[in-house]
């Protein structure tokens, strides 16, 4: 199932499908490991930003960014 | 025998322990400055071993070598222009995959590189296994495992730096294969010289494909750029393809050198994060922890301020005895003008030491990043993000440490905005002056009046943030993108060095400004005659009277405001000097001379009108720009004037209506 990162549930995993945004923003995120094809886990949601795990790093992303990342979520409630 | 100098540059992502390694190597033999014309800190230091002197420069923390940020441009230009003898790239061993991305780009520019795998203990905590020899072979450069916070691995690093310098260790980095992009890269390389401004042709080709504006402009000046533009074409996704190729290459390197457990280990950091970043518990917890830091900082500072003042007093008496031969005007200038400035400067010392002790611990443990996460939502109301929370909060005590804490933000324009709006946060002295007036004029509603002042300052932060962003910085606050480093224990030796460096930089660069400004204000009040009524201060007060007369001001109030520039509480003592009375007498005089509405306008102006001398000096030190310092002063003066004027009119209207 495809979801916007911001709407993923805590603990859900998936693969990044696409990132919307200007060239600079997209490249900046790529340098932090947020790049299409990469595996991503949503670790924590607050009432604005989210915490994700990508390439062994925990990153906090503001809501504006989390709303622009599309993720193909693993549909495995039975997993883990 | 002449010692041999080796110039070493430290590079790495933010939060990898780069400054810890820098501090361990250089100790107190370091110097902090700014990169020319930039708000970014430049740290240099030396380390001696046997016959060698290592001249170490700490490059700004970066994720990449593109030209997104000033930090990246500085690092890149330093490498090609200064050509250090050895570059040490420091990475967080527990998140190698992401960290090696920067290494690759540095290797594309430079080959005498040593890789430091810092925090190797955290890698073990995650139950990862790494084969260092194999990694060295695959990368083609020396690798040093390290636990910088415990000082482990520093010796080995120094040995390897010397060996690389002597040529005993050879760096032959593996070239990255960009797959199907290789042929475009080669095509571009053919069109450009082997070397432009110190950049090699391959690096130039890669940066052009990434859409790097600086490199593009360099090329446009030298060669026929249109031909290259044809090759690049309208490809929008090449930058991402390059990034992908780099990550693929990293995966290949790590495939049989880094072994991860099948199921990820839940580390202590994960458990702590469950509590500290909890959507409901996280925010109140951060309020409690930071509230405690705030309380401790100002409580300890107040405990120390009395003894400090006594010591200063003794010292002053001592000095006075030896300077009796001077004419009385000069004696007065020295003791009431210059010495007062020095005392103000010295009273900042305990505050800075205590605050930076806590800040270092919050930062080193990794908790500060969590604070930014949990407060991000509420800071959005102000158009800021979570990293702005601590600097603004600490400004409620005193703007000076608040503005110094702005350094924790990455983006230069964000830092400038935050510095400018910080001075609208009412510090304790401003509230004390307001409290005095509130008690005189509105004894029954004093606390309500103070509350309204806090509200006005909050509104001013909000409105000014919008105005400055829109008309002066012309950019919005960057959204939060922040790494959450693993929690770790701080190293107290490093914390000590950190505090010392902050204090030294403050005294050196803000010190003279504070002393000069307060001497000038003293002169205004005592020249040409010692009598304040005939002084320049009174003269200037009368000069500006037409501007503030509509609000019911007299020259005495304006002179008090001018004196308040030295330190906000000075406006009160100046009023007392002018009216030559204090306590109950002063109360009665004020009640007779000023209407309550004028008193309220005075409080509002006093709240917002100008950053005090200490704050102005700190703004100058932190922005490294006279332009922004003057802007801050003029902007706040204008803003305060308009706000109090508008409030005066609104309240007057209400009064006539009621």
């Amino acid at each position: 199932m495809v979801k916007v990162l911001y709407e993923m549930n805590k603990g859900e995993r998936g693969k990044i499908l696409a990132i919307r945004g200007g060239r600079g923003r997209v490249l900046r995120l790529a340098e932090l490991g947020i790049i299409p094809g990469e595996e991503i886990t949503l670790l924590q949601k607050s009432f604005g930003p989210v915490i994700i795990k990508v390439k062994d790093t925990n990153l906090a992303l503001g809501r504006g960014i989390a709303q622009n990342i599309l993720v193909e979520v693993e549909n495995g409630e039975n997993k883990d | 025998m002449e010692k041999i100098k080796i110039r070493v540059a430290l590079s790495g992502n933010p939060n990898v322990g780069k400054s810890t390694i820098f501090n361990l190597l250089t100790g107190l033999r370091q110097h902090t400055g700014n990169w020319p014309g930039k708000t970014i800190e430049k740290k240099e230091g030396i380390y001696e071993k046997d016959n060698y002197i290592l001249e170490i420069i700490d490059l700004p923390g970066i994720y990449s070598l593109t030209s997104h940020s000033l930090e990246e441009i500085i690092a890149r230009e330093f490498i090609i222009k200064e050509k250090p003898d050895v570059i040490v790239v420091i990475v967080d061993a527990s998140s190698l995959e992401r960290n090696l991305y920067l290494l690759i780009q540095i290797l594309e520019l430079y080959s005498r590189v040593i890789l430091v795998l810092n925090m190797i203990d955290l890698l073990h905590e995650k139950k990862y296994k790494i084969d260092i020899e194999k990694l060295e072979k695959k990368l083609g450069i020396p690798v040093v495992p390290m636990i910088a916070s415990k000082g482990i691995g520093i010796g080995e690093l120094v040995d390897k730096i010397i060996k690389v310098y002597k040529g005993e260790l050879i760096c032959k980095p593996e070239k990255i294969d960009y797959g199907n992009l290789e042929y475009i890269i080669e095509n571009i390389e053919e069109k450009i010289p082997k070397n432009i401004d110190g950049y090699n042709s391959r690096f130039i080709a890669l940066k052009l494909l990434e859409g790097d504006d600086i490199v593009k402009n360099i090329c446009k000046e030298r060669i026929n750029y249109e031909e290259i533009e044809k090759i690049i074409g309208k490809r929008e996704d090449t930058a991402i393809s390059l990034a992908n190729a780099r990550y693929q290459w990293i995966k290949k390197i790590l495939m049989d050198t880094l072994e991860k457990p099948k199921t990820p280990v839940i580390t202590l950091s994960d458990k702590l994060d469950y509590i500290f970043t909890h959507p409901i518990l996280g925010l109140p917890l951060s309020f409690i922890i930071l509230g405690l830091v705030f309380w401790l900082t100002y409580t300890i500072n107040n405990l120390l301020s009395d003894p400090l003042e006594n010591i200063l007093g003794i010292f002053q008496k001592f000095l006075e005895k030896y300077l009796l031969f001077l004419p009385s005007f000069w004696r007065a200038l020295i003791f009431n003008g210059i010495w007062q400035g020095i005392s103000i400067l010295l009273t900042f010392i305990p505050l800075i030491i205590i605050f930076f002790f806590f800040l270092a611990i919050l930062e080193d443990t990794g908790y500060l990043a969590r604070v930014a996460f949990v407060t991000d939502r509420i800071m959005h109301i102000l158009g800021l993000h979570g990293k702005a929370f601590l600097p603004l909060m600490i400004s409620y005590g005193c703007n000076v440490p608040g503005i110094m804490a702005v350094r924790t933000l990455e983006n230069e324009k964000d830092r400038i905005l935050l510095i400018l709006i910080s001075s609208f946060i009412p510090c304790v002295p401003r509230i004390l002056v307001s409290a005095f007036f509130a008690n005189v004029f509105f004894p029954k509603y004093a606390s309500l009046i103070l509350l309204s002042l806090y509200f006005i300052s909050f509104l001013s932060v909000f409105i000014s943030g919008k105005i400055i962003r829109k008309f002066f910085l012309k950019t919005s606050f960057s959204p939060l993108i922040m790494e959450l480093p693993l929690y770790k224990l701080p190293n107290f030796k490093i914390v000590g060095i950190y505090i010392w460096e902050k204090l030294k930089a403050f005294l050196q660069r803000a010190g003279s400004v504070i002393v000069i400004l307060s001497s000038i204000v003293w002169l205004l009040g005592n020249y040409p005659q010692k009598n304040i009524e005939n002084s320049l201060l009174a003269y200037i007060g009368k000069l500006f009277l037409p501007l503030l007369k509509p609000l019911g001001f007299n020259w005495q109030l304006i002179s008090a405001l001018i004196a308040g520039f030295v330190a906000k509480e000075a406006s009160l003592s100046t009023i007392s000097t002018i009216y030559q009375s204090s306590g109950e007498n002063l109360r009665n005089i004020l009640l007779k001379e000023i209407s309550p509405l004028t008193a309220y306008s005075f409080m509002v102006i006093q709240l917002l009108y100008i950053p005090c001398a200490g704050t102005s000096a700190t703004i100058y030190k932190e922005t490294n720009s006279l332009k922004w310092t003057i802007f801050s002063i003029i902007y706040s003066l204008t803003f305060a004037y308009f706000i109090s004027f508008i409030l005066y009119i609104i309240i007057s209207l209400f009064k006539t209506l009621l």
Side-chain angles (χ1 to χ4, degrees):
Chain A
M1 189 174 48
V2 179
K3 273 188 187 175
V4 172
L5 174 62
Y6 186 69
E7 276 150 17
M8 277 169 72
N9 296 319
K10 197 173 152 179
E12 265 186 330
R13 266 198 313 197
K15 247 190 187 138
I16 300 171
L17 274 183
I19 296 149
R20 280 188 301 233
R23 199 176 173 166
R25 169 75 49 80
V26 172
L27 188 58
R28 169 70 64 263
L29 290 172
E31 288 158 2
L32 286 162
I34 303 169
I35 191 165
E38 191 59 45
E39 196 167 286
I40 188 168
T41 312
L42 191 103
L43 295 178
Q44 188 68 272
K45 272 178 105 159
S46 183
F47 297 98
V50 298
I51 300 179
I52 55 157
K53 189 185 242 355
V54 73
K55 285 191 192 296
D56 271 334
T57 314
N58 294 4
L59 293 168
L61 299 179
R63 182 178 169 172
I65 292 175
Q67 278 169 330
N68 282 302
I69 298 176
L70 285 177
V71 183
E72 168 83 59
V73 178
E74 266 176 27
N75 30 351
E77 272 116 77
N78 48 351
K79 267 192 179 176
D80 292 300
Chain B
M1 201 162 56
E2 184 89 10
K3 294 215 172 192
I4 300 166
K5 281 184 188 163
I6 308 179
R7 294 182 320 125
V8 182
L10 304 184
S11 185
N13 292 359
N15 298 315
V16 293
K18 198 162 57 68
S19 33
T20 306
I21 294 173
F22 176 80
N23 283 333
L24 275 179
L25 282 169
T26 60
L28 294 175
R29 301 177 72 180
Q30 56 171 282
H31 169 77
T32 315
N34 276 55
W35 291 90
K38 309 278 161 56
T39 63
I40 298 155
E41 207 166 64
K42 180 184 191 182
K43 292 197 286 186
E44 291 168 284
I46 55 169
Y47 176 86
E48 278 185 63
K49 192 186 177 191
D50 306 332
N51 205 22
Y52 295 95
I53 299 180
L54 273 54
E55 291 183 340
I56 301 161
I57 181 135
D58 190 12
L59 295 177
I62 49 174
Y63 289 106
S64 163
L65 279 187
T66 42
S67 54
H68 288 315
S69 65
L70 279 173
E71 281 85 351
E72 292 177 350
I73 297 167
I74 287 172
R76 187 161 97 178
E77 290 191 345
F78 182 85
I79 294 171
I80 56 154
K81 297 224 166 91
E82 303 286 323
K83 297 203 172 35
D85 295 310
V86 180
I87 299 178
V88 177
V89 175
I90 299 152
V91 299
D92 174 354
S94 67
S95 85
L96 259 187
E97 223 182 303
R98 217 270 329 280
N99 271 259
L100 290 184
Y101 191 89
L102 175 68
L103 175 78
I104 289 182
Q105 296 194 52
I106 290 178
L107 289 177
E108 281 169 343
L109 205 54
Y110 211 77
S111 62
R112 279 199 305 277
V113 173
I114 297 173
L115 176 66
V116 168
L117 302 180
N118 193 20
M119 304 190 249
I120 202 92
D121 48 340
L122 298 179
L123 178 121
H124 295 142
E125 197 193 323
K126 280 183 163 179
K127 300 266 184 291
Y128 288 12
K129 276 183 203 136
I130 190 156
D131 185 336
I132 288 176
E133 262 175 53
K134 214 177 216 171
L135 187 65
E136 280 187 325
K137 227 174 259 159
K138 283 188 136 188
L139 287 170
I141 55 166
V143 177
V144 181
M146 189 177 285
I147 309 171
S149 56
K150 293 180 188 153
I152 298 170
I154 293 282
E156 191 186 338
L157 174 64
V158 172
D159 287 343
K160 288 201 169 163
I161 290 172
I162 294 171
K163 277 186 182 158
V164 167
Y165 177 78
K166 286 203 286 192
E168 286 171 14
L169 265 177
I170 308 288
C171 303
K172 268 195 90 174
E174 198 63 31
K175 196 174 143 192
I176 307 149
D177 182 9
Y178 284 98
N180 52 10
L181 286 165
E182 275 297 333
Y183 109 101
I184 305 177
I185 298 170
E186 278 163 30
N187 257 344
I188 299 176
E189 274 193 85
E190 279 168 20
K191 298 272 189 272
I192 49 182
K194 276 259 160 290
N195 189 312
I196 304 180
D197 277 5
Y199 295 106
N200 64 59
S201 58
R202 189 175 170 85
F203 186 82
I204 296 257
L206 288 167
K207 290 298 145 197
L208 287 176
L209 284 168
E210 283 179 326
D212 186 310
D213 289 327
I214 290 183
V215 171
K216 204 191 267 177
N217 287 334
I218 293 175
C219 287
K220 276 182 181 162
E221 279 170 24
R222 305 293 161 83
I223 48 170
N224 185 356
Y225 188 69
E226 278 169 24
E227 279 183 49
I228 295 172
E229 218 153 36
K230 267 183 216 150
I231 302 173
I232 299 173
K234 284 215 163 34
R235 302 159 151 274
E236 274 285 317
D237 54 343
T238 28
I240 295 301
S241 308
L242 288 173
N244 243 325
R246 289 187 185 125
Y247 282 126
Q248 290 309 321
W249 188 81
I250 293 170
K251 279 211 168 96
K252 235 170 66 193
I253 297 264
L254 293 180
M255 208 168 54
D256 48 0
T257 48
L258 183 71
E259 201 185 305
K260 299 183 186 179
K262 284 249 155 54
T263 47
V265 177
I266 294 173
T267 59
L268 180 64
S269 271
D270 295 327
K271 287 176 202 158
L272 288 173
D273 260 344
Y274 179 79
I275 307 165
F276 287 133
T277 65
H278 191 277
I280 295 159
L281 291 177
L283 193 59
L285 251 172
S286 77
F287 283 158
I288 292 170
I289 292 171
L290 294 187
L292 202 67
V293 165
F294 186 92
W295 183 77
L296 277 173
T297 302
Y298 292 107
T299 310
I300 300 174
N301 179 55
N302 288 343
L303 281 179
L304 291 176
S305 69
D306 276 349
L308 185 71
E309 248 164 56
N310 288 341
I311 294 169
L312 287 173
I314 294 169
F315 195 69
Q316 179 178 356
K317 278 202 189 110
F318 178 78
L319 258 181
E320 261 173 73
K321 246 193 348 211
Y322 282 89
L323 292 173
L324 268 174
F325 64 91
L326 284 172
S328 71
F329 174 78
W330 287 103
R331 261 205 333 259
L333 173 66
I334 290 173
F335 291 114
N336 302 330
I338 300 173
W339 180 256
Q340 195 198 0
I342 294 173
S343 314
I344 290 173
L345 180 68
L346 294 179
T347 50
F348 281 119
I349 293 177
L351 186 61
I352 288 175
I353 293 176
I354 301 158
F355 173 62
F356 277 99
F357 171 76
F358 288 120
L359 183 66
I361 290 187
L362 288 173
E363 246 189 315
D364 266 20
T365 50
Y367 183 63
L368 198 59
R370 277 72 186 180
V371 172
F373 172 75
V374 294
T375 55
D376 190 60
R377 183 86 206 95
I378 46 171
M379 292 317 282
H380 261 275
I381 302 167
L382 290 173
L384 307 168
H385 69 51
K387 284 199 160 186
F389 185 75
L390 180 82
L392 286 186
M393 192 195 85
I394 218 73
S395 285
Y396 277 100
C398 171
N399 290 174
V400 170
I403 287 171
M404 285 171 87
V406 169
R407 276 197 184 265
T408 49
L409 276 81
E410 282 102 28
N411 184 295
E412 163 146 61
K413 284 191 170 174
D414 294 352
R415 279 198 294 266
I416 289 176
L417 178 71
L418 199 54
I419 287 173
L420 294 176
I421 58 175
S422 287
S423 66
F424 288 131
I425 304 247
C427 56
V428 172
R430 268 180 264 183
I431 291 301
L432 289 179
V433 175
S434 304
F436 171 81
F437 275 86
N439 276 323
V440 171
F441 288 92
F442 313 95
K444 279 189 194 151
Y445 308 102
S447 45
L448 212 64
I449 293 287
L450 287 184
L451 209 64
S452 77
L453 292 179
Y454 273 110
F455 179 73
I456 290 169
S457 94
F458 187 81
L459 216 63
S460 303
V461 168
F462 178 76
I463 297 169
S464 296
K466 289 221 147 139
I467 293 175
I468 294 170
R469 248 199 320 263
K470 184 136 193 237
F471 297 105
F472 299 102
L473 288 168
K474 299 188 172 74
T475 165
S476 57
F477 214 72
S478 22
L480 187 72
I481 308 178
M482 175 187 61
E483 205 178 331
L484 296 177
L486 297 179
Y487 292 93
K488 61 179 192 314
L489 288 173
N491 174 327
F492 284 96
K493 186 184 157 197
I494 301 293
V495 170
I497 296 173
Y498 174 83
I499 296 170
W500 170 242
E501 280 308 312
K502 290 284 171 219
L503 187 64
K504 204 171 75 181
F506 175 79
L507 291 178
Q508 276 172 353
R509 285 193 287 165
S512 50
V513 182
I514 294 177
V515 174
I516 292 168
L517 287 178
S518 55
S519 307
I520 291 175
V521 173
W522 180 85
L523 267 179
L524 291 180
N526 290 273
Y527 191 83
Q529 275 170 295
K530 212 169 180 302
N531 183 346
I532 200 163
E533 271 165 66
N534 299 316
S535 67
L536 276 173
L537 190 66
Y539 178 76
I540 299 173
K542 286 167 192 160
L543 195 69
F544 282 101
L545 192 56
L547 273 177
L548 286 158
K549 190 119 201 205
L551 305 186
F553 274 51
N554 53 21
W555 69 264
Q556 288 90 337
L557 283 180
I558 301 175
S559 301
L561 285 176
I562 298 168
F565 178 53
V566 173
K568 292 294 163 83
E569 64 274 25
S571 54
L572 211 54
S573 57
T574 306
I575 287 182
S576 159
T577 316
I578 293 176
Y579 287 119
Q580 290 178 337
S581 59
S582 60
E584 200 56 38
N585 277 338
L586 185 60
R587 244 164 235 261
N588 293 333
I589 294 174
L590 285 175
L591 280 170
K592 213 164 62 192
E593 295 260 322
I594 307 163
S595 75
L597 186 50
T598 299
Y600 189 69
S601 305
F602 176 81
M603 281 188 255
V604 173
I605 287 199
Q606 193 268 142
L607 185 77
L608 306 169
Y609 76 114
I610 208 169
C612 70
T615 308
S616 300
T618 311
I619 292 176
Y620 176 62
K621 171 187 167 278
E622 294 294 323
T623 58
N624 201 19
S625 145
L626 195 60
K627 190 189 100 187
W628 283 120
T629 313
I630 293 173
F631 175 85
S632 168
I633 293 173
I634 293 177
Y635 178 83
S636 52
L637 274 174
T638 324
F639 187 84
Y641 182 66
F642 277 108
I643 292 290
S644 56
F645 216 99
I646 292 168
L647 274 174
Y648 186 89
I649 293 170
I650 294 175
I651 299 173
S652 311
L653 278 177
F654 261 102
K655 269 173 78 181
T656 47
L657 284 176
L658 286 174

